[in-house]
């Protein structure tokens, strides 16, 4: 029987949404406006790709996905922090995200900045609180991994080089650095976190690291392509912004056709890393294929 990814994603999205609803600070706790602002962005409709990767990789190594739910939600909080800050006037100055006004357009720049700061810290609180269902000696390396992937060795480092590259010539090596760090690092950390918390073997972790790196690159190439060919109603944000900002992208360097070919090749390589995994890695295989077929 073929694996039904659509149902799998819908089911996991609902589970993650319910967990986030419960875990995020409530709006009747002090300071309510900060919690409103946090909930506005995190609970907005997103694909929940990072938390779903945490759940799917836990399953792939024979673990129980409910045992890693807090860390899965933490990854979504870090992602939401990056989106809120990325949209600020001092960065991309965007008005729409996930089909609604950006956080600073509703709550103002200062509250958006603080909501992002609070979300990053809250994410690490959640990972530590995952000790209710995962042992401390697995939590510590997971915390270290996610911290590295979020800061200067990962997402923030990639964002800085991305900003610096705007309006300048860039090499394939710089483009590779930007994509691997800005987007790839957090996606890879999501894949590794689920397996690490559920006691995946060294061989499984090594394979999943390569899987994460390949799908991370495929995801970002697909994102670059969607910014040219996508439907802005589906994407929930305007298209064409990369070209307008003269950003370093795959289509700019290699053209659309070669970019599509490279994205397919990354997915093919991602699938080869899962060859030694059993049937229970089917969600990870299907997610790899979906990453370049998606239209949002
Ligand atoms: C500001 C520290 C800091 C980092 C910003 C991730 C990032 C770095 C910026 C987001 C802007 C952007 C368009 C990045 C490219 C790919 C990406 C991460 C897209 C958004 O992620 P999706 O497609 O979004 O998973 P949803 O809304 O579905 O969660």
């Amino acid at each position: 029987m073929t694996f039904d990814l659509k149902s799998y994603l819908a089911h996991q999205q609902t589970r993650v949404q319910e967990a986030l609803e419960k875990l995020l600070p409530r709006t009747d706790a002090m300071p309510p406006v900060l919690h409103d602002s946090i909930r506005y962005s995190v609970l907005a409709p997103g694909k929940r790709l990072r938390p779903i990767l945490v759940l799917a990789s836990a399953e792939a190594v024979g673990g129980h996905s409910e045992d890693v739910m807090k860390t899965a939600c933490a990854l979504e909080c870090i992602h939401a922090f990056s989106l809120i800050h990325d949209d600020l006037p001092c960065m991309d100055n965007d008005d729409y995200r996930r089909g609604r006004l950006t956080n600073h357009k509703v709550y103002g720049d200062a509250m958006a900045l603080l909501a992002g700061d609070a979300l990053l810290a809250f994410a690490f609180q959640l990972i530590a609180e995952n000790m209710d269902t995962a042992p401390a000696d697995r939590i510590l390396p997971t915390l270290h991994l996610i911290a590295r992937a979020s800061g200067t060795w990962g997402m923030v480092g990639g964002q800085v080089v991305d900003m610096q590259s705007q309006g300048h010539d860039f090499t394939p090596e710089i483009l590779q650095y930007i994509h691997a760090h800005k987007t790839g690092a957090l996606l890879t950390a999501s894949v590794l976190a689920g397996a690490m918390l559920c006691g995946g073997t060294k061989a499984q972790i090594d394979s999943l690291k390569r899987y994460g790196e390949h799908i991370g690159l495929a995801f970002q190439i697909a994102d670059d392509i969607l910014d040219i060919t996508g439907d802005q109603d589906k994407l929930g944000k305007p298209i064409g912004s990369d070209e307008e900002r003269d950003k370093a992208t795959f289509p700019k360097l290699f053209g659309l056709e070669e970019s599509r070919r490279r994205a397919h090749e990354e997915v093919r390589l991602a699938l080869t890393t899962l060859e030694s995994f059993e049937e229970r890695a089917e969600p990870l295989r299907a997610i790899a294929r979906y990453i370049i077929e998606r239209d949002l």
Side-chain angles (χ1 to χ4, degrees):
M1 220 176 72
T2 52
F3 177 75
D4 183 356
L5 180 69
K6 212 170 155 207
S7 308
Y8 179 84
L9 291 179
H11 173 66
Q12 300 295 43
Q13 279 159 357
T14 304
R15 289 180 68 206
V16 170
Q17 191 76 9
E18 285 171 2
L20 285 168
E21 294 259 9
K22 269 196 217 134
L23 292 168
L24 286 173
R26 292 159 52 120
T27 49
D28 57 4
M30 283 290 281
V33 63
L34 176 66
H35 300 163
D36 257 337
S37 156
I38 284 174
R39 296 180 78 93
Y40 174 82
S41 287
V42 180
L43 298 175
K47 292 184 286 300
R48 311 295 181 217
L49 181 59
R50 293 148 193 83
I52 291 175
L53 284 170
V54 178
L55 305 179
S57 79
E59 289 164 1
V61 299
H64 297 290
S65 58
E66 62 272 20
D67 291 348
V68 300
M69 188 55 94
K70 284 189 180 151
T71 300
C73 289
L75 264 305
E76 187 65 18
C77 289
I78 297 171
H79 174 54
F81 132 73
S82 78
L83 299 180
I84 295 171
H85 281 194
D86 188 63
D87 291 333
L88 282 167
C90 60
M91 290 212 215
D92 275 0
N93 194 18
D94 276 318
D95 292 351
Y96 288 94
R97 168 76 65 184
R98 293 178 162 176
R100 38 172 92 167
L101 283 170
T102 43
N103 194 292
H104 65 274
K105 283 276 160 192
V106 178
Y107 296 94
D109 295 359
M111 197 55 63
L113 188 74
L114 291 166
D117 293 342
L119 272 169
L120 182 60
F122 182 64
F124 289 96
Q125 179 187 330
L126 278 181
I127 300 166
E129 286 174 7
N130 211 160
M131 250 185 334
D132 55 357
T133 49
D137 64 347
R138 291 183 190 164
I139 301 256
L140 192 60
T142 309
L143 261 173
H144 181 253
L145 162 90
I146 297 173
R148 269 188 75 91
S150 305
T152 189
W153 313 116
M155 188 172 64
V156 174
Q159 175 78 347
V160 170
V161 179
D162 185 26
M163 282 163 46
Q164 288 175 329
S165 76
Q166 287 181 39
H168 296 285
D169 287 341
F170 59 95
T171 60
E173 289 71 30
I174 292 286
L175 184 62
Q176 172 79 24
Y177 177 93
I178 293 171
H179 284 8
H181 289 77
K182 189 178 85 164
T183 329
L186 206 60
L187 289 169
T188 305
S190 304
V191 175
L192 290 178
M196 282 166 67
L197 289 173
C198 290
T201 63
K202 179 162 183 327
Q204 286 174 324
I205 303 286
D206 288 348
S207 298
L208 289 171
K209 182 165 187 291
R210 286 184 291 115
Y211 167 87
E213 288 165 356
H214 289 303
I215 63 155
L217 189 51
F219 178 89
Q220 186 57 61
I221 301 175
D223 203 74
D224 287 355
I225 295 173
L226 281 171
D227 194 67
I228 299 170
T229 63
D231 175 333
Q232 52 192 44
D233 288 337
K234 282 191 181 146
L235 291 170
K237 59 176 187 180
I239 62 162
S241 59
D242 289 344
E243 195 181 358
E244 201 177 297
R245 295 181 183 123
D246 202 12
K247 281 208 179 191
T249 67
F250 263 75
K252 190 175 169 197
L253 199 57
F254 299 111
L256 269 176
E257 201 176 320
E258 173 62 11
S259 301
R260 283 198 188 99
R261 195 198 63 73
R262 286 181 185 233
H264 277 91
E265 176 60 6
E266 291 301 323
V267 170
R268 191 189 66 75
L269 292 170
L271 293 173
T272 65
T273 68
L274 299 179
E275 272 162 6
S276 62
F277 284 72
E278 295 164 21
E279 178 96 21
R280 56 192 179 204
E282 213 41 39
L284 288 181
R285 293 189 185 96
I287 290 169
R289 293 186 201 103
Y290 154 81
I291 271 175
I292 53 166
E293 284 159 13
R294 68 198 170 99
D295 54 11
L296 79 162

